[in-house]
Amino acid sequence: DDCIIAGHRRFEAAKNYSTLKEIPVIVHKDVTTSLRLELQCLEDVQKEDWNAMERAEAWEKLRREMIANGEIKISKYDPHGKGFGQLAKRIGLSDNYVMDVLALLRYPKEIQDYVSEGKLSFAVANTIGSSTKLTGGEKITMAKSAVKSGIGYRQIIRMIKEQTFKKEVAKLPKIKKTPDDFVNQVSDKILELEERFKFAHDNLSIFTPQQQVRIYQKIKFLSNSMSHLYQRLKESVDGEKSGSK
């Protein structure tokens, strides 16, 4: 039996015109299931009102059909073992974009529902869902917060960084000394670090590439931590100055 592969909405709209007796069509013969899905995907890519969740479900259906028909062959050289690259080439989109869209299918159902309902943008959902720093529960909580407050992509990235920082700090040993003891201890450690950093700077060539990578990673983490603390201290000090005027 004949069926409409693409253009369902145009066909329904055409039926509302009583004077329209004929409409132009392209007839495909011997259409396989995978070809039908592919043609539908190619048209649906052009739809502006098609959300990312709908694309993910359609593309995943096409990917599975192509694998079943042998049109996608998974080789040991496939970096993900899923055939994403072959699927992306088939529908004419970049590998990364196709993988990001399909990744939605792995995220918590709450995030998927927000995307389907148009409450959460693809960029925000993907940023939250793809984070390796958040647990499943934390991703859901952050998605709910994003929906409620309407925050965007850049703000979500900042929230994830702040939450990650808090979790890292929570792992540190608790300070049981007085605030004065803590300040003195920090001052001594900073002076010690300055000396060590100066030594590493002046003698970088003595370290192996692997050792340099480890030093870089430690300094990067320390820099991020100190940047957050500096900002908090600056806001507090500036607030004290403003209050004393």
Side-chain angles (χ1 to χ4, degrees):
D1 294 339
D2 293 335
C3 66
I4 298 175
I5 295 176
H8 293 81
R9 288 186 292 186
R10 281 170 287 176
F11 177 72
E12 292 299 323
K15 292 193 317 187
N16 294 326
Y17 293 89
S18 58
T19 57
L20 194 61
K21 303 302 181 182
E22 295 181 351
I23 56 174
V25 298
I26 299 175
V27 179
H28 294 275
K29 295 183 179 180
D30 302 323
V31 177
T32 63
T33 301
S34 61
L35 179 57
R36 176 175 59 80
L37 291 171
E38 180 184 350
L39 291 171
Q40 289 175 336
C41 286
L42 289 173
E43 185 192 24
D44 289 333
V45 164
Q46 310 301 322
K47 294 179 182 177
E48 295 182 0
D49 61 342
W50 222 43
N51 67 55
M53 222 33 242
E54 291 174 311
R55 295 190 181 200
E57 290 166 352
W59 293 354
E60 176 60 13
K61 189 175 180 180
L62 173 59
R63 186 186 72 86
R64 290 179 179 276
E65 185 66 28
M66 290 174 68
I67 290 175
N69 291 341
E71 296 173 76
I72 285 182
K73 294 180 172 57
I74 309 299
S75 73
K76 63 180 180 180
Y77 301 108
D78 188 324
H80 302 282
K82 303 288 186 179
F84 293 143
Q86 296 172 69
L87 173 64
K89 185 177 180 180
R90 187 73 170 263
I91 58 181
L93 295 170
S94 72
D95 294 13
N96 288 338
Y97 179 65
V98 170
M99 285 190 290
D100 285 346
V101 171
L102 289 176
L104 288 170
L105 300 174
R106 302 196 307 269
Y107 300 160
K109 187 177 183 303
E110 289 83 351
I111 295 179
Q112 294 179 358
D113 290 343
Y114 288 145
V115 175
S116 294
E117 295 163 7
K119 296 178 179 178
L120 203 63
S121 72
F122 167 61
V124 171
N126 190 49
T127 302
I128 296 173
S130 63
S131 174
T132 58
K133 304 294 184 180
L134 302 175
T135 64
E138 289 170 338
K139 290 177 181 180
I140 294 171
T141 299
M142 190 165 289
K144 288 180 179 178
S145 177
V147 170
K148 185 177 180 180
S149 60
I151 58 179
Y153 166 75
R154 294 185 183 280
Q155 291 165 302
I156 280 294
I157 290 179
R158 182 175 179 180
M159 284 179 62
I160 292 175
K161 287 182 177 179
E162 289 177 348
Q163 186 155 330
T164 301
F165 173 73
K166 290 177 182 178
K167 289 166 70 174
E168 292 293 339
V169 170
K171 297 177 184 178
L172 299 175
K174 301 298 181 183
I175 303 297
K176 297 182 179 180
K177 297 181 180 180
T178 66
D180 283 338
D181 290 334
F182 175 74
V183 171
N184 292 333
Q185 186 181 35
V186 168
S187 299
D188 292 341
K189 289 294 183 183
I190 289 176
L191 289 174
E192 182 181 344
L193 283 173
E194 284 181 342
E195 292 178 0
R196 291 173 183 263
F197 288 164
K198 186 177 184 306
F199 173 82
H201 179 273
D202 295 342
N203 301 275
L204 194 60
S205 60
I206 70 172
F207 299 103
T208 65
Q210 291 78 11
Q211 291 171 332
Q212 291 183 23
V213 169
R214 289 180 59 193
I215 293 172
Y216 166 76
Q217 292 172 338
K218 295 295 183 183
I219 291 177
K220 183 180 179 181
F221 174 73
L222 183 61
S223 298
N224 290 336
S225 301
M226 292 183 70
S227 175
H228 281 82
L229 178 58
Y230 170 79
Q231 189 61 37
R232 290 287 302 277
L233 288 169
K234 185 177 184 302
E235 291 172 358
S236 179
V237 171
D238 290 346
E240 289 291 332
K241 288 180 180 178
S242 300
S244 63
K245 290 182 180 179

